[in-house]
Amino acid sequence: MIKLMPGLDSSAAALQAERIRLEVIGQNIANSNTTKTASGKPYERQIVKFETVLQDKLGVNSEAVPLLVKVAKIAKDTKPPKEIYQPGHPDAKPNGMVDYPNVNVHEEMADMIASSRAYEANLAAIKNARSMTLQTLAIGRR
Amino acid sequence: MTPISFNSGLSSGIYSPELRNLRPQAPKENAKGIDGGEGLDPSLAQMPGVSNLNQAQVGFDNVLGKFVNEVNSKQMAAGDAVTGLLGGKNVPLHQAMIAMEEASVSFQLMVEVRNKLLEGYQELLRMQV
């Protein structure tokens, strides 16, 4: 395989990973008021964990093998649920307290900003790789 | 897609005949130029450097053909990605865009290589004998 644009594989993998992270953040925000899930408990905040993977050496004939990033795991946040006093709520416990998800919307917004900035950074890396390659091709033009 | 048929036309139509015409003459002239006689030709041909040179010249149109094929397959992959994306087949947007970009950049490289080859050929044609 001919490799024309540098670092494309890592950037593409990072874009995919950030997409998943944005999806999970959106899911957290969407469920920030869900007091009952299939398990009977309130929704629990999901956290995305990234890890690097070695790209398989087949097809890459240089010794510098790019490190890719992928979503290793989508784990549950272990923070306890927020208790709010709402005696009339259908999911209220006998003492009148309702368990709300351990999602803090402000925190999610901050994560979302970080995630979309990371996405932009990877897009910028790809754009830069492309323009470098095109400029290099322009050497032969007169 | 028009670029694909264009590719295959290039590989068989323009590159190969020139190269085939140029190839057999070049090593012979070299050999004569160096030792000045026919007798030493076999030993010269067995020298590692010379035979490697010969092989490299034989291989170049193969390399070019492979490259054109690869450009073609990149175009096909880009086409598949776009079709998958538009058909709702869970192809991520960035993957389709990257595939298209890769296809276009490799196509441009191919065009540059073609321009260079043609330029060299025309320079040879203009040469005074």
Side-chain angles (χ1 to χ4, degrees):
Chain A
M1 272 300 263
I2 177 172
K3 286 256 177 259
L4 280 181
M5 293 196 263
L8 206 59
D9 292 330
S10 330
S11 298
L15 286 182
Q16 180 63 23
E18 291 297 339
R19 243 174 75 103
I20 294 174
R21 186 171 159 205
L22 273 172
E23 258 173 50
V24 170
I25 290 171
Q27 183 189 319
N28 285 339
I29 293 176
N31 284 296
S32 61
N33 290 309
T34 307
T35 51
K36 196 164 196 172
T37 57
S39 64
K41 288 191 287 187
Y43 175 80
E44 284 167 301
R45 177 174 181 246
Q46 308 284 310
I47 304 175
V48 173
K49 192 183 134 206
F50 288 167
E51 73 176 13
T52 55
V53 277
L54 267 177
Q55 198 189 30
D56 57 343
K57 294 200 173 180
L58 299 172
V60 182
N61 46 12
S62 67
E63 62 282 348
V65 182
L67 282 173
L68 306 184
V69 58
K70 74 162 195 194
V71 173
K73 200 177 165 191
I74 299 177
K76 281 178 183 165
D77 194 338
T78 52
K79 269 190 297 190
K82 286 183 285 188
E83 284 195 323
I84 292 173
Y85 184 64
Q86 275 185 335
H89 196 284
D91 292 329
K93 290 184 282 192
N95 61 359
M97 302 302 271
V98 179
D99 280 347
Y100 270 87
N102 53 0
V103 177
N104 183 351
V105 178
H106 311 99
E107 213 176 291
E108 299 302 323
M109 293 304 288
D111 278 356
M112 196 157 75
I113 292 171
S115 184
S116 66
R117 287 291 171 272
Y119 196 90
E120 273 172 31
N122 283 296
L123 285 182
I126 291 175
K127 268 185 201 157
N128 195 49
R130 175 184 177 276
S131 75
M132 272 169 68
T133 311
L134 288 182
Q135 279 170 339
T136 313
L137 280 179
I139 287 177
R141 229 166 271 159
R142 56 184 70 170
Chain B
M1 278 180 140
T2 41
I4 294 168
S5 54
F6 182 45
N7 290 355
S8 47
L10 273 183
S11 70
S12 59
I14 300 182
Y15 291 146
S16 310
E18 291 169 26
L19 290 169
R20 262 177 222 132
N21 287 340
L22 288 174
R23 220 190 314 120
Q25 290 162 12
K28 243 187 191 172
E29 277 175 9
N30 261 345
K32 270 187 191 171
I34 292 167
D35 61 23
E38 300 282 321
L40 285 177
D41 264 358
S43 65
L44 201 72
Q46 277 162 9
M47 277 169 62
V50 172
S51 61
N52 278 350
L53 192 73
N54 215 343
Q55 271 176 1
Q57 281 173 346
V58 170
F60 186 60
D61 59 345
N62 275 337
V63 171
L64 212 57
K66 259 190 211 159
F67 171 59
V68 172
N69 275 336
E70 200 169 307
V71 173
N72 187 20
S73 68
K74 275 195 201 296
Q75 299 273 1
M76 305 274 252
D80 284 351
V82 172
T83 318
L85 176 72
L86 297 185
K89 287 202 187 108
N90 204 16
V91 175
L93 177 64
H94 62 85
Q95 192 185 315
M97 291 306 293
I98 287 175
M100 282 199 286
E101 212 43 65
E102 232 175 321
S104 117
V105 169
S106 58
F107 186 78
Q108 286 187 43
L109 173 62
M110 193 190 71
V111 171
E112 291 296 337
V113 170
R114 172 212 173 264
N115 288 345
K116 264 287 180 251
L117 276 176
L118 220 58
E119 205 179 290
Y121 178 63
Q122 279 165 354
E123 197 113 340
L124 275 179
L125 277 186
R126 277 198 298 274
M127 205 174 272
Q128 295 274 336
V129 185

